[in-house]
Amino acid sequence: MYRDDELLQLSGLQHLLYCPRQCALAYMEMQWADNSFTAKGIIMHDKVHAEKIERRKNVVIERDMYIKSFSLGLVGKADVVEFHKSENLMTPFPVEYKSGKAKKDNTDKVQLCAQALCLEEMMKIKIPNGAIFYGKTKNRLNVDFDESLRDETIALAKDFHNLIESGITPKAQISEKCNNCSLKELCLPELAAGKKSVKKYLQEIASERDS
Ligand code: SF4
């Protein structure tokens, strides 16, 4: 079990899965920059969080809900938690809002599963599934919190703590992901991966400035 002062931001999990260096730059070195992808996400989240609690027939919707887990060592906020009434129980159903479209990897699912694990620990209840709403395609993807996704999420939370405790920012791994990375300008992947010398990099900057 982690202590209160050891809890890390739940949102870091998706960054760690995307790129460990991006995660270290954002959550260890505290550097962040928005690009068009993250900016769209912020606008969408602001809309989602406009009304805090809404009551509908058999469903109570809570937005921007504070969540944490001492076993995962994570703290954060869930975009939306729907509480579905069945018999005398209100079962939580987390819904995460993303501005883009469904991804091939598990980054969004892991973030949602971590939210569910936090809610399970807080409410001592089992949460079988949740959903991710994608703004670009306007579809809602249902996600089952099966054992494999739970194991992946728990392992990633441990890796996140190990990364932060190590105090070492991993080297850049150049890939297609760098093209969509909001930290590319801060990361300087070609320099960090040793693919380009500092001298060449400075020469390129100077020639761009003179052109
Ligand atoms: S630019 Fe590439 S290597 Fe650097 S943080 Fe982003 S994804 Fe990772």
Side-chain angles (χ1 to χ4, degrees):
M1 284 285 176
Y2 291 94
R3 294 191 315 264
D4 225 348
D5 61 347
E6 293 172 328
L7 302 183
L8 299 175
Q9 285 296 315
L10 186 151
S11 53
L13 294 186
Q14 60 181 323
H15 296 285
L16 180 58
L17 204 53
Y18 188 80
C19 168
R21 180 170 169 82
Q22 188 197 66
C23 182
L25 288 171
Y27 294 88
M28 205 164 68
E29 299 191 21
M30 301 302 171
Q31 303 197 46
W32 187 248
D34 283 314
N35 62 11
S36 63
F37 298 99
T38 56
K40 276 182 198 160
I42 291 167
I43 292 165
M44 186 157 184
H45 280 89
D46 285 348
K47 283 183 186 166
V48 168
H49 298 155
E51 195 179 354
K52 180 87 176 142
I53 292 184
E54 187 183 337
R55 288 182 174 76
R56 295 186 197 163
K57 196 175 173 221
N58 293 330
V59 185
V60 176
I61 300 168
E62 179 156 357
R63 297 180 171 86
D64 209 17
M65 184 176 171
Y66 179 75
I67 51 176
K68 64 179 166 182
S69 161
F70 291 104
S71 59
L72 292 178
L74 298 175
V75 64
K77 283 186 174 178
D79 282 342
V80 168
V81 181
E82 297 175 355
F83 290 88
H84 293 254
K85 191 173 181 188
S86 59
E87 296 170 5
N88 290 328
L89 266 182
M90 295 296 277
T91 306
F93 183 92
V95 183
E96 178 68 14
Y97 283 71
K98 297 289 180 191
S99 59
K101 56 184 181 181
K103 301 181 182 83
K104 287 182 189 147
D105 62 27
N106 262 1
T107 48
D108 296 341
K109 290 180 185 170
V110 159
Q111 188 185 359
L112 185 74
C113 185
Q115 293 175 8
L117 294 174
C118 287
L119 289 163
E120 286 186 348
E121 186 177 314
M122 289 163 68
M123 298 176 178
K124 306 201 180 342
I125 191 170
K126 189 88 174 167
I127 303 174
N129 39 38
I132 305 166
F133 179 83
Y134 288 99
K136 189 167 183 182
T137 48
K138 305 241 178 309
N139 73 312
R140 188 161 144 147
L141 176 75
N142 283 319
V143 178
D144 290 333
F145 303 129
D146 57 24
E147 285 311 310
S148 147
L149 184 58
R150 285 168 184 266
D151 289 347
E152 184 180 0
T153 306
I154 292 165
L156 201 65
K158 278 196 194 127
D159 289 346
F160 189 16
H161 275 273
N162 289 339
L163 173 68
I164 300 299
E165 277 162 30
S166 77
I168 298 167
T169 301
K171 285 204 162 142
Q173 299 286 332
I174 299 176
S175 73
E176 280 184 6
K177 292 176 180 177
C178 299
N179 298 331
N180 294 333
C181 176
S182 63
L183 291 191
K184 192 175 177 190
E185 299 296 315
L186 295 165
C187 165
L188 303 174
E190 291 183 326
L191 264 189
K195 301 266 180 203
K196 193 182 279 183
S197 68
V198 174
K199 189 177 170 191
K200 174 118 176 67
Y201 174 72
L202 292 174
Q203 280 171 345
E204 282 177 9
I205 301 243
S207 69
E208 271 173 31
R209 202 187 302 134
D210 295 341
S211 61

